Amino acid sequence: MKFKLIYPRWEKLEGQTNFTLPPHGPVVMAATIPDYVDVSFTDENVEKIDFDEECDFVGISMMLTIQIKGGWAIAREFQKRGKKVIFGGISTMLHAEETMLYADSVFLGESEGRMEAVFEDFKNNRLKKVYNYMTKQPAIELIGPARRSILKRELYNHKGVQMVDLFHASRGCRFSCYPCAVSYLGGKSFRPRPMDKVIEELDTIENNRLFVVDNSLAQNKEWEMELFRNMIPFKKKWISHTIDADPKILDLAAQAGAWYVYQAVFDTSDYIKERVKKYHDHGIGVEGTILLGLDNQSEDDIKRLIDFLLEIDLDLAEFTVLTPFPQTKVYNDMIRQNRIFDKDWNNFNAGKVVFTPAQMTAERLKGLYDYAWDTFYKDETQEQKMFRLFSDVVLREMKEGTYRPRDRKLANKSFGKKI
Amino acid sequence: MELSKNNIEQVFEFEGLWGVKSKCGLKIIKKEDSHIVIVSELYGENPGNAITSVSAGLAMQIAKQFEIPTDKMVYIESSPEMNSKLSFYDEEYFRVFFENNNGKFSNPSWEKLTKEEFIKLTK
């Protein structure tokens, strides 16, 4: 049986670099598909979909709200050709009822231990409209190494430099942050993978650079330290979301190959300044993630925040506009206050303003968002700042003997396209 | 952050979207011609959906369990004080209006209540 798995395209934010990383959801899901199924994967961000490719069954995996309308359109094309389409992934879970209108089936939840039954149902022509495993998370031990063999590696390469591989060591989140839907999607408790499973998966990844995509590694200090201790022998360099700024943990993280981490910067406090300094003192870079448009932010607050970012010497900054994604507190608050004026999911890209801000007009907020990108990258562009971070990691790899030269055969290509 | 339980007399377990087990705070005030239902968000103490994600379904479940006629229900959502530095966790009250089709709620709309309005309505 041939299963065609699609990852729909989305528009990058204005000002964001055009680097495309290999997706994580589809390779994790593909690992749970029975062995007798041949999987053909298309990431529409890097290649066109061949709607006429021979296949028996189609899967559409969606991570972002801005993928869903594209995903629905793709489903329609396959259905016109007589194919059945199943949807999964986290934005399917957030938009399940709407997606059901376009799907032969939707899968809600985590797929480990469940795909055998789905494919049996398909084979026997009894596919269910919904496979509902919301909050019925499988045993964490069941998560095996992702099936990265389905990726076409050369499409995630820029001028001979391979993009990082995505990897996860835990699921769920014990924090329910105001703009975030993760606790709805992955449950409100932190679920670390057993360390032997983490090691088993790291062992399968050839890439020497990773993005550890866990929502937050800072959920259990003992586990975090154990994770870093176990990562040291792999000599990989990695990016991650926030980690604890405890010196003991940072020391282990640095030994384990921490390259740079994301850090939410929400105010101009000494707490943030010191935290960034602590990361830097351990040789770990920091990309600030800055959310603009919160109800407690005035125009002056946003301008002060941007000045502050330049002062604290962040390596990179990514600005986003507050976006009320379904199943978040911000969505519920704004629905109640009738403040969401744009309900086109294609505009929920965190670069457009879809709600009425509390302290300014939507146009002014968009203006400040543009101002933030322009001001932060005025003296040194995002590409230049990234190049600096990249050079740092190359030097570290050379020192440690883990550096791999760029692939000369792909030197004139960027994400599969000739340059 | 610490949840204020001022308007919570009991914890009500309900079925959220896709059958997700969820909890909210509940207080019912029986008046001569109506039942005032105050549902409160429990944040970290709720394993499932937020009350606003499932307003109509939750109101129906409460009506059924406590045998409240839907046309006599005054339904209020409360976001309790979380004693947080973050303004998004301040105390708030919303009266929720539903379309009522033969006893079935749908299409909620919200009207913000001031503390004074809330007190007057629930006195």
Side-chain angles (χ1 to χ4, degrees):
Chain A
M1 185 197 298
K2 189 164 176 183
F3 182 61
K4 189 167 171 69
L5 181 59
I6 312 275
Y7 192 60
R9 178 179 183 277
W10 73 85
E11 289 289 335
K12 297 259 177 183
L13 289 179
E14 258 176 71
Q16 218 177 25
T17 56
N18 218 17
F19 293 155
T20 303
L21 305 183
H24 190 237
V27 294
V28 171
M29 181 270 177
T32 67
I33 293 173
D35 290 341
Y36 65 84
V37 180
D38 177 23
V39 180
S40 159
F41 177 61
T42 303
D43 177 353
E44 204 192 0
N45 290 290
V46 287
E47 64 177 320
K48 283 200 168 136
I49 300 168
D50 176 1
F51 289 101
D52 297 314
E53 181 190 339
E54 201 181 302
C55 67
D56 300 293
F57 189 21
V58 176
I60 299 181
S61 172
M62 307 192 295
M63 174 180 71
L64 302 171
T65 286
I66 47 171
Q67 283 177 293
I68 65 166
K69 286 176 74 176
W72 299 340
I74 292 165
R76 238 180 273 130
E77 285 302 314
F78 281 109
Q79 284 161 339
K80 272 192 228 164
R81 290 161 174 80
K83 307 293 179 195
K84 292 236 187 289
V85 181
I86 185 166
F87 281 84
I90 59 178
S91 63
T92 298
M93 291 160 76
L94 288 183
H95 300 274
E97 287 191 8
E98 300 161 273
T99 300
M100 280 172 72
L101 302 173
Y102 302 89
D104 295 290
S105 178
V106 295
F107 185 94
L108 309 177
E110 298 175 5
S111 62
E112 285 78 15
R114 277 109 190 218
M115 281 297 129
E116 191 81 47
V118 172
F119 279 84
E120 273 304 303
D121 286 351
F122 172 75
K123 273 199 305 187
N124 294 308
N125 205 22
R126 56 168 193 234
L127 200 60
K128 292 181 185 140
K129 189 71 187 166
V130 185
Y131 290 88
N132 178 11
Y133 292 102
M134 289 292 294
T135 72
K136 299 177 195 90
Q137 285 94 10
I140 196 80
E141 298 77 19
L142 284 179
I143 304 167
R147 192 167 164 185
R148 296 182 176 81
S149 58
I150 64 169
L151 299 170
K152 294 164 190 135
R153 287 283 166 189
E154 69 283 4
L155 299 181
Y156 302 100
N157 190 298
H158 175 63
K159 297 181 179 174
V161 178
Q162 192 64 44
M163 295 295 108
V164 293
D165 262 54
L166 277 55
F167 162 81
H168 75 312
S170 67
R171 289 185 185 171
C173 189
R174 67 184 176 87
F175 308 114
S176 287
C177 297
Y178 182 62
C180 184
V182 164
S183 62
Y184 171 78
L185 298 165
K188 290 186 177 177
S189 55
F190 173 59
R191 294 179 290 134
R193 292 173 68 185
M195 214 44 79
D196 59 331
K197 291 283 181 181
V198 170
I199 294 167
E200 181 194 348
E201 175 152 6
L202 281 171
D203 223 9
T204 66
I205 305 174
E206 213 190 303
N207 201 332
N208 61 343
R209 294 177 194 144
L210 302 178
F211 183 172
V212 185
V213 294
D214 301 48
N215 306 305
S216 165
L217 292 174
Q219 304 212 41
N220 177 315
K221 287 190 181 191
E222 288 307 313
W223 174 83
E224 201 178 2
M225 288 197 286
E226 199 194 344
L227 173 69
F228 295 156
R229 268 187 222 109
N230 279 293
M231 288 176 79
I232 293 171
F234 290 96
K235 295 185 173 175
K236 294 187 188 292
K237 296 289 169 278
W238 47 269
I239 305 159
S240 77
H241 294 126
T242 198
I243 58 179
D244 268 298
D246 177 324
K248 261 198 305 193
I249 294 176
L250 289 177
D251 189 42
L252 277 171
Q255 289 181 56
W259 174 8
Y260 66 93
V261 296
Y262 288 88
Q263 171 65 50
V265 181
F266 39 83
D267 62 25
T268 58
S269 63
D270 286 345
Y271 170 81
I272 297 284
K273 197 186 273 184
E274 280 159 22
R275 203 169 165 107
V276 171
K277 186 176 178 303
K278 278 183 194 168
Y279 289 130
H280 281 159
D281 288 348
H282 285 81
I284 301 169
V286 185
E287 172 158 2
T289 51
I290 300 99
L291 198 53
L292 305 177
L294 292 160
D295 282 1
N296 59 359
Q297 285 174 336
S298 66
E299 291 190 34
D300 283 347
D301 290 333
I302 291 178
K303 285 183 179 163
R304 258 198 303 273
L305 189 58
I306 296 157
D307 290 343
F308 175 75
L309 301 177
L310 293 164
E311 214 180 279
I312 59 175
D313 202 20
L314 282 179
D315 299 280
L316 285 170
E318 184 171 84
F319 300 93
T320 48
V321 170
L322 179 68
T323 304
F325 293 106
Q327 304 304 331
T328 61
K329 182 164 183 349
V330 60
Y331 180 84
N332 288 335
D333 285 355
M334 288 193 182
I335 279 285
R336 293 201 296 202
Q337 295 159 14
N338 198 23
R339 287 168 61 192
I340 302 175
F341 60 78
D342 183 346
K343 291 183 181 162
D344 181 346
W345 297 126
N346 277 350
N347 291 333
F348 280 57
N349 68 351
K352 292 179 182 165
V353 184
V354 298
F355 70 100
T356 306
Q359 301 201 38
M360 63 197 85
T361 63
E363 293 72 27
R364 186 65 194 129
L365 176 57
K366 176 68 170 78
L368 285 166
Y369 165 78
D370 294 336
Y371 168 83
W373 280 100
D374 293 346
T375 308
F376 187 81
Y377 291 107
K378 192 175 77 182
D379 294 333
E380 197 178 26
T381 64
Q382 195 179 15
E383 285 74 14
Q384 287 167 328
K385 282 184 186 285
M386 283 194 89
F387 183 73
R388 208 139 52 90
L389 267 178
F390 181 67
S391 304
D392 285 349
V393 86
V394 166
L395 286 174
R396 279 171 68 188
E397 287 170 347
M398 283 178 158
K399 210 166 139 193
E400 292 168 18
T402 57
Y403 174 66
R404 292 178 199 165
R406 66 176 61 205
D407 184 344
R408 296 269 163 211
K409 291 195 297 292
L410 295 171
N412 64 347
K413 286 199 165 179
S414 180
F415 303 98
K417 293 195 179 87
K418 267 203 164 181
I419 44 171
Chain B
M1 294 197 293
E2 200 186 321
L3 181 80
S4 157
K5 297 198 170 163
N6 283 346
N7 294 303
I8 299 174
E9 277 184 354
Q10 60 177 298
V11 171
F12 181 70
E13 294 186 0
F14 64 97
E15 198 172 276
L17 297 167
W18 306 104
V20 171
K21 283 186 179 148
S22 309
K23 290 179 184 177
C24 66
L26 179 64
K27 183 175 180 178
I28 300 172
I29 304 163
K30 197 164 184 269
K31 289 202 169 180
E32 204 174 301
D33 56 350
S34 64
H35 290 73
I36 314 283
V37 172
I38 306 164
V39 292
S40 297
E41 189 53 73
L42 292 179
Y43 298 113
E45 295 173 34
N46 171 17
N49 297 163
I51 53 175
T52 310
S53 304
V54 287
S55 292
L58 173 56
M60 288 300 301
Q61 289 177 56
I62 292 168
K64 191 174 171 196
Q65 182 152 333
F66 296 94
E67 295 176 344
I68 300 171
T70 53
D71 58 342
K72 303 271 187 233
M73 185 190 270
V74 174
Y75 189 82
I76 299 169
E77 286 183 0
S78 151
S79 302
E81 178 60 57
M82 284 293 282
N83 302 304
S84 162
K85 286 179 193 158
L86 301 169
S87 58
F88 343 113
Y89 292 98
D90 286 350
E91 185 175 50
E92 280 188 314
Y93 305 98
F94 287 85
R95 181 159 176 191
V96 190
F97 298 91
F98 302 99
E99 280 176 24
N100 189 339
N101 295 315
N102 302 320
K104 271 198 115 179
F105 287 150
S106 59
N107 291 333
S109 59
W110 289 264
E111 182 183 286
K112 189 168 176 156
L113 301 172
T114 62
K115 181 91 189 229
E116 292 68 37
E117 287 167 335
F118 172 76
I119 290 168
K120 199 173 156 194
L121 196 61
T122 56
K123 214 157 62 175

